[in-house]
Amino acid sequence: MMGRTSEAATARTGRTVLVTGVSRFLGSSLAGRLAAVPGVDRVIGVDAALPDDAARRRLGEAEFVRVDIRNPLIGKVIEGAGVTCVVHASASIAPVAAAVRTMTKEMNVLGTMQLLAACQRTASVSAVIVRSTSAVYGGSSKDPAVFTEDTAPRAAPPTGPARDAADIEGYVRSFARRRPDVRVAIPRFGEIIGPTVRTPLTRYLSLAPAVPVPLGHDPRVQFVHEQDAVDLLEHLTLGSFAGTLNVAGDGVMTLRQAICRAGRIALPLPMSAMDAVSTALKMARVGGFSTQQLRLLASGPVLDTTRLRAVAGFTCRYTTRQAFDDFARTIPPVLSPAAVRRAELWATGLLGVRPAADGDPRLTGVRDPVPVAGQGNGEPVQP
Amino acid sequence: MNDVIPGTDAGKLAATDLAATNTDAGDAPGWQRTLSNLAAFLRRRLTGDYEIDDFGYDRDFAETLMLPPLRWLFEKWFRVQTVGIENVPLGGAALLVANHSGTIAVDAAMAAVAVHDEHPQRRPLRILGADFVFNTPVLGPLARKAGHTLACTADAERLLTAGELVAVFPEGFKGVGKPFSQRYKLQRFGRGGFVSAALRTGAPIVPVSIVGAEEIYPLIGDIKPLARALGLPYFPVTPTFPWLGPLGAIPLPSKWLIEFGEPIATDGYPEGAAEDPMVVFNLTDRVRETIQQTLYRLLLRRGHPFLG
């Protein structure tokens, strides 16, 4: 760190990165991380909203400019600073509970269009990275069980955030055609989870004591740890990968398994009753969930991450299960593994049989790896 | 289970994983072991302490809850006899191709029990099913937990590449839904997609002939308007269904024989053979003929359909 300033002064790489959505976890963490990289001269974080204290801390040495990406002013920021790499980290974000659908669409789709328009006009821009989501695959019963980047979904998502994400990818691809000199990377993330980020999914999984699940269905889910998500965006910013990329932790869980691992009880309800339950929960102010989000989750595709490892040269540190457990430890369980084990011992004792051995690492005190110090500080933020 | 080491492939289930989970109470009498294993199973369910692979195969669930009732049907109800289980490879990929019959796909479940219980390695059979199965609530997730997946090239090749035993029933609905009068007459064998998948992955094809499933629900009619209204491929009428209501859903206790034929190698073909329709058609015909001839032979050997 000491020698960095002099080094940077003598050998400027001409690398200036613009990161969107820095009031949220992913954007602010990435901007802060990049600002500390010797090969990067300048990092500009933009957002329409002011970052809170936690996000400001994560931003570190990165500059903050308050600008809405839907405003043509963003073009002036990019041009004026001679930005070489644009990371659109706030694209395809899940809607905030309060945000209405049109608002989310406007932020996501129109914001991306405006940002891409600015990038197209700025000659200095040589790399564009736009965050996308695995929701673009849709996921019907006619689709294969595992999606590679080249799998064309049978049914394109008709409406909602999944459709927006597909539209955004379309705009990014046509931008790539118009500016073939620009390196374009589109990482498609599975659900980002961890101790810090708060998403509609984490709010849903935090419902207690019971979490409503669609009756007669048990979708497979995959998670990406928040630190892996930041690491990957940094890797893509500094690396040379171009193209579409599936991003998910190794392994798969089912939704009910995840709910059980969070120490909650899965309550099967018909999908038609979910809207009513969701409304009731919101009115009772005990938290809520969006049925749309649940539908997305229920059709959730499983990603083939061969390209991530083999071509992009990136390995997620957390498996799907480890990422989930790292989130689950931040919410108080209703049924802890220890309590269930006690009940088992009580029941086997009552029956007079010897209980089976328990291989659950959560009971033996072996914990999953804790994120690097100074990162996930437990403050709830938007990803 | 090594789920504390980051970067391990949790999607892959090692065959030895489950054996390590509950080896306690080894010297206790059988019923005690059953009870303590059941309690441990419930605990694992409540705390989510189990692993599934990328396709959703949940070995713990399948072996504890799904196989026992099927095993009872296999042993006591249909008195299934298997021939040639040594033709199923001890390790590595193979594509099992079988005839399909019986109004509902009980034969697929019995083939899975046969491979799991009679094979020395107790290998799970990954069956390729119709999208209708995975579309259906309850049935879809159960099929996934049992390790089955959609009959499509991508899934078949992914499973074969991973060295799994994959089963396919190329007759599809034409086979299960054919009238009783056409029993043991093989229908069209799809378009040979399964042969291409085997050729591309070099997996041997094991022809499987199943005798007995034709008699469990003798299909004497099909109410097409009702099938359309319910979104089913056909609405079966059997001598007992729907006349006897739920009782009509009890399968007739026919005597079953399952023969695993000699593997047909697919790795000796030149590059690009999977794209050569002539090779694919010839192999498809060869597999189909083998199964048809074996069916006739097994029928003679079985004698009476119910007394065997």
Side-chain angles (χ1 to χ4, degrees), chain A residues 301-323:
Chain A
V302 169
L303 306 179
D304 179 315
T305 53
T306 312
R307 190 182 285 179
L308 178 69
R309 269 185 295 266
V311 182
F314 183 86
T315 309
C316 287
R317 283 188 296 146
Y318 291 78
T319 64
T320 281
R321 175 189 279 224
Q322 287 164 345

Side-chain angles (χ1 to χ4, degrees), chain A residues 93-148:
Chain A
I93 43 143
V96 195
V100 276
R101 166 86 190 100
T102 46
M103 185 65 188
T104 323
K105 187 186 176 88
E106 182 131 311
M107 281 304 286
N108 276 334
V109 183
L110 300 178
T112 307
M113 287 175 80
Q114 189 68 249
L115 185 70
L116 289 172
C119 291
Q120 195 179 327
R121 291 185 66 124
T122 314
S124 61
V125 172
S126 65
V128 171
I129 292 148
V130 180
R131 167 185 173 184
S132 186
T133 152
S134 63
V136 294
Y137 291 116
S140 77
S141 56
K142 284 189 169 73
D143 283 317
V146 183
F147 285 81
T148 68

Side-chain angles (χ1 to χ4, degrees), chain A residues 241-262:
Chain A
F241 177 86
T244 317
L245 191 62
N246 283 344
V247 189
D250 282 340
V252 175
M253 299 168 87
T254 72
L255 179 61
R256 289 184 198 201
Q257 183 184 10
I259 289 168
C260 289
R261 279 191 87 81

Side-chain angles (χ1 to χ4, degrees), chain B residues 210-226:
Chain B
I210 304 172
V211 158
E214 296 276 18
E215 292 90 5
I216 60 171
Y217 299 110
L219 192 79
I220 53 173
D222 172 11
I223 309 175
K224 286 204 171 71
L226 204 52

Side-chain angles (χ1 to χ4, degrees), chain A residues 216 220 257 304 321 344, chain B residues 3 43 47 50 54 138 158:
Chain A
R220 291 164 296 152
Q257 183 184 10
D304 179 315
R321 175 189 279 224
E344 181 199 358
Chain B
D3 59 350
R43 186 236 313 141
T47 58
Y50 51 91
D54 286 355
V138 185
R158 184 174 292 274

Side-chain angles (χ1 to χ4, degrees), chain B residues 82-188:
Chain B
T82 57
V83 186
I85 191 73
E86 67 280 358
N87 287 323
V88 179
L90 281 175
L95 182 66
L96 279 66
V97 181
N99 59 313
H100 210 15
S101 61
T103 306
I104 54 173
V106 182
D107 49 357
M110 291 301 114
V113 178
V115 171
H116 182 270
D117 285 9
E118 315 261 314
H119 195 275
Q121 300 293 330
R122 299 180 80 81
R123 298 186 68 179
L125 188 63
R126 316 296 297 265
I127 298 169
L128 303 179
D131 63 310
F132 158 78
V133 172
F134 301 97
N135 230 342
T136 312
V138 185
L139 182 64
L142 281 181
R144 284 242 172 262
K145 281 185 203 298
H148 313 319
T149 191
L150 180 73
C152 63
T153 321
D155 284 7
E157 287 178 17
R158 184 174 292 274
L159 281 168
L160 288 172
T161 310
E164 298 281 351
L165 281 183
V166 181
V168 65
F169 298 81
E171 291 171 275
F173 289 126
K174 296 185 297 295
V176 255
K178 68 178 180 289
F180 189 60
S181 58
Q182 291 189 37
R183 59 190 177 278
Y184 299 115
K185 288 197 181 69
L186 286 186
Q187 305 295 301
R188 186 164 64 84

